[in-house]
Amino acid sequence: MQISDSSSRILAGLLEARTGQQLTMSRRWRIETALSTLMRERGIATLDELITILVMGREPSLSQRVVEALLNNETYFFRDRAPFDVLDRNVLSQLAKTRAQSKRLRIWSAGCSTGQEVYSLAMLFAENPEQWRGWTIDVLGTDVSSGCVERARTGTYSQFEVQRGLGIGQMIKWFEESADGWRAVEALRRPVRFQVHNILEPAPHPGAFDIVLCRNVLLYLSAEKKTLAFERIAGALAPDGWLMLGAGETVIGQTTRFGADINARGLYRLVDGARTNKRSGPDRRTATGA
């Protein structure tokens, strides 16, 4: 199944218009694989035939399915385990002290795909029940793909998915086997929620997040859109909060709002100017009624 340059450009334009993500030349090899299942379902023989249907604009739902198929939804539990260890050891222990009075934590996982990152975060809290007893923990997962968000809400994964990143002990402790696969237990589902959201849009409610994870999302954005994404995140982060990026991502040359945390590798803090500006405004936690 071959695809012409013009068809590749049309698909790349559709993806960027809907999500802000670029389908660079290095990623265009995925097109045939990503769309093959959809094309079989619809009885579409060639990619150029699919493009013709899209260009005619008669099937908006098909356009959305094409976009979602082209997104890179690779994820698994505790992906690149080291960052979660840093989060647990350095950040959560510090937040346990600085938020001791309110006993409330808000965490945003942006670009959460099918939810494994969100449930991994929930496990960090569930595995230390005494430390977090009496706390209100809110873990929000967002993704531009409605299909991924729908799957994440079920908390149900295949045998293969649930074993990626989890030991047998964690798998048995935190997931229950069902007719549809392995479902996260109530203790993991209780503090989490999911919604469709694009990182380039204004941040989701309520804001003032203590931690924002945006891992392996910015890789697919243009330089201009990366800067906008950092602005959105900065506006959603508590003045003393943390940002976690993917291993191949950085703030250098992309934004002046964040700087590296020298005590926590791979994590970033708002720079002094950004913190000062946010402190001069209204208390966002009070404003949201929390």
Side-chain angles (χ1 to χ4, degrees):
M1 183 167 52
Q2 298 295 320
I3 182 169
S4 65
D5 289 341
S6 60
S7 293
S8 294
R9 287 194 295 271
I10 290 171
L11 290 173
L14 177 63
L15 179 66
E16 186 163 15
R18 294 286 184 90
T19 70
Q21 294 191 19
Q22 293 183 311
L23 190 63
T24 60
M25 292 300 297
S26 63
R27 294 179 64 207
R28 292 188 183 184
W29 65 269
R30 296 186 60 254
I31 292 176
E32 295 180 18
T33 302
L35 298 178
S36 58
T37 300
L38 173 59
M39 290 172 62
R40 282 197 301 270
E41 290 177 2
R42 299 297 300 269
I44 299 172
T46 67
L47 283 165
D48 287 338
E49 181 183 346
L50 173 63
I51 297 300
T52 299
I53 297 172
L54 295 176
V55 171
M56 291 174 68
R58 295 178 180 175
E59 298 189 47
S61 61
L62 179 61
S63 297
Q64 184 59 30
R65 289 194 64 188
V66 167
V67 167
E68 297 211 6
L70 291 173
L71 293 169
N72 185 356
N73 296 316
E74 168 69 6
T75 187
Y76 50 90
F77 292 98
F78 292 103
R79 183 177 184 180
D80 307 323
R81 183 78 195 217
F84 286 92
D85 293 338
V86 171
L87 201 64
D88 193 22
R89 184 175 60 252
N90 296 68
V91 176
L92 293 183
S93 60
Q94 187 167 333
L95 285 171
K97 299 175 182 177
T98 58
R99 303 292 190 268
Q101 185 172 357
S102 66
K103 290 187 180 297
R104 176 186 292 273
L105 285 181
R106 292 172 174 151
I107 303 175
W108 175 20
S109 169
C112 70
S113 187
T114 46
Q116 285 93 321
E117 181 171 89
V118 172
Y119 290 110
S120 297
L121 291 167
M123 268 183 257
L124 294 181
F125 295 101
E127 289 175 348
N128 294 282
E130 291 302 319
Q131 180 179 14
W132 303 108
R133 190 178 305 280
W135 285 67
T136 299
I137 309 295
D138 177 25
V139 185
L140 171 64
T142 67
D143 199 273
V144 71
S145 167
S146 58
C148 283
V149 168
E150 184 176 345
R151 276 209 61 207
R153 284 174 177 156
T154 70
T156 302
Y157 301 94
S158 68
Q159 179 87 23
F160 172 74
E161 289 172 323
V162 82
Q163 286 182 313
R164 291 190 72 193
L166 296 180
I168 188 66
Q170 283 182 309
M171 173 180 165
I172 294 173
K173 183 176 183 180
W174 300 116
F175 289 84
E176 300 170 327
E177 193 170 11
S178 68
D180 299 322
W182 291 78
R183 191 183 189 205
V185 299
E186 172 63 21
L188 296 189
R189 300 198 310 274
R190 190 184 310 117
V192 309
R193 58 192 176 96
F194 298 91
Q195 71 181 66
V196 177
H197 177 267
N198 189 326
I199 189 65
L200 301 177
E201 298 172 349
H205 182 79
F209 292 100
D210 301 296
I211 305 170
V212 175
L213 294 88
C214 186
R215 305 175 67 214
N216 306 308
V217 176
L218 304 180
L219 292 172
Y220 308 115
L221 301 180
S222 66
E224 180 182 4
K225 288 185 170 62
K226 284 179 184 177
T227 299
L228 174 58
F230 280 121
E231 287 297 315
R232 298 302 194 196
I233 295 169
L237 195 64
D240 59 345
W242 280 266
L243 166 64
M244 177 185 287
L245 300 178
E249 297 169 317
T250 181
V251 302
I252 298 174
Q254 307 294 337
T255 179
T256 59
R257 303 296 299 275
F258 290 95
D261 185 336
I262 61 174
N263 298 312
R265 184 176 180 181
L267 296 176
Y268 301 86
R269 313 295 297 273
L270 287 165
V271 299
D272 290 340
R275 295 185 193 184
T276 301
N277 290 339
K278 294 185 76 167
R279 288 196 186 105
S280 65
D283 187 322
R284 297 182 66 187
R285 290 179 180 269
T286 304
T288 61

